[in-house]
Amino acid sequence: GQQLNQSPQSMFIQEGEDVSMNCTSSSIFNTWLWYKQEPGEGPVLLIALYKAGELTSNGRLTAQFGITRKDSFLNISASIPSDVGIYFCAHGSSNTGKLIFGQGTTLQVKP
Amino acid sequence: ETGVTQTPRHLVMGMTNKKSLKCEQHLGHNAMYWYKQSAKKPLELMFVYSLEERVENNSVPSRFSPECPNSSHLFLHLHTLQPEDSALYLCASSQAWVNNQPQHFGDGTRLSIL
């Protein structure tokens, strides 16, 4: 079946540092999505990517759809305490709405 | 406010109880989903409804029974659950069940089975 590897599993950084996380897959996909989940809440969509090579920003967040269509990364610049949470990547490959989610990257930011 | 509302937020039940989880979306979407989120595991898709018809059933035990009376409402009926069913149950919706549309999630129901 499709395998989606998200790394790192967790990060503990100092406020103001930049953060990078990525997802890789064994197959080619048409869509990459990045979500953030805070404690007690559901995942919230951050960025959606639909084309290989696409680079999209949302404030201090930047995500790219890899050229090979098998990977994606998310960068957070100048982290702040409210960036704390679990970040999930998800991809879709078929003509359906089915998404496969990564295991998540837990981010902690030290003030 | 995500536009997807789940109730209750927390539920504790015994293994012999029957309860229902409710989801309502105010986004005008045509597809709705149930996911199970357990610690240290990726989100697991349970059921998908598109235009009130079930289109995906991922080998979920029959003790979970979904119901979609209209495109805005989704229920998950629970009966004779097991301790391993304790998890966060998330509802989501998307514009349609095509072309990898982004899904919008509710805040979940935290379910604990005694």
Side-chain angles (χ1 to χ4, degrees):
Chain A
Q2 299 165 353
Q3 292 188 350
L4 182 57
N5 298 310
Q6 183 170 352
S7 65
Q9 271 194 322
S10 62
M11 304 180 73
F12 190 88
I13 62 169
Q14 194 76 34
E15 182 178 0
E17 290 183 359
D18 296 343
V19 172
S20 184
M21 60 192 79
N22 68 85
C23 283
T24 60
S25 175
S26 55
S27 303
I28 291 173
F29 297 102
N30 298 327
T31 305
W32 281 99
L33 306 171
W34 284 93
Y35 289 85
K36 178 188 179 186
Q37 185 175 23
E38 297 186 21
E41 299 182 7
V44 175
L45 181 67
L46 299 173
I47 294 176
L49 303 163
Y50 297 101
K51 287 170 54 177
E54 181 179 356
L55 184 71
T56 298
S57 293
N58 178 1
R60 292 176 296 104
L61 277 62
T62 302
Q64 184 160 26
F65 193 145
I67 292 291
T68 64
R69 295 170 63 191
K70 292 185 179 182
D71 59 355
S72 178
F73 71 76
L74 176 71
N75 286 343
I76 305 173
S77 63
S79 59
I80 59 178
S82 62
D83 291 332
V84 164
I86 305 175
Y87 292 80
F88 293 98
C89 62
H91 63 60
S93 62
S94 66
N95 291 328
T96 73
K98 187 170 185 175
L99 298 177
I100 305 298
F101 285 82
Q103 291 185 306
T105 295
T106 300
L107 177 64
Q108 294 177 284
V109 180
K110 184 178 180 182
Chain B
E1 178 61 45
T2 66
V4 180
T5 303
Q6 288 187 245
T7 55
R9 293 296 312 276
H10 302 273
L11 179 62
V12 179
M13 58 188 284
M15 289 191 284
T16 58
N17 291 158
K18 290 185 180 181
K19 295 286 185 183
S20 296
L21 310 185
K22 178 183 176 182
C23 177
E24 182 175 1
Q25 57 97 359
H26 310 274
L27 300 169
H29 288 168
N30 291 319
M32 296 188 75
Y33 310 76
W34 279 117
Y35 285 89
K36 177 183 179 182
Q37 186 176 34
S38 304
K40 308 294 185 184
K41 294 175 71 175
L43 284 164
E44 300 173 54
L45 181 63
M46 299 175 70
F47 301 104
V48 182
Y49 277 81
S50 175
L51 297 171
E52 300 149 49
E53 287 195 20
R54 192 190 305 182
V55 295
E56 187 91 0
N57 179 350
N58 277 3
S59 302
V60 179
S62 60
R63 57 186 183 268
F64 295 91
S65 175
E67 178 190 2
C68 187
N70 55 63
S71 59
S72 298
H73 293 86
L74 186 66
F75 295 89
L76 187 62
H77 304 300
L78 316 171
H79 64 96
T80 58
L81 295 192
Q82 303 299 309
E84 62 265 28
D85 296 324
S86 296
L88 181 67
Y89 288 84
L90 290 163
C91 173
S93 70
S94 65
Q95 187 69 45
W97 172 242
V98 292
N99 297 331
N100 318 134
Q101 300 267 333
Q103 294 173 19
H104 299 263
F105 288 83
D107 287 334
T109 295
R110 173 69 62 186
L111 177 65
S112 299
I113 306 300
L114 301 177

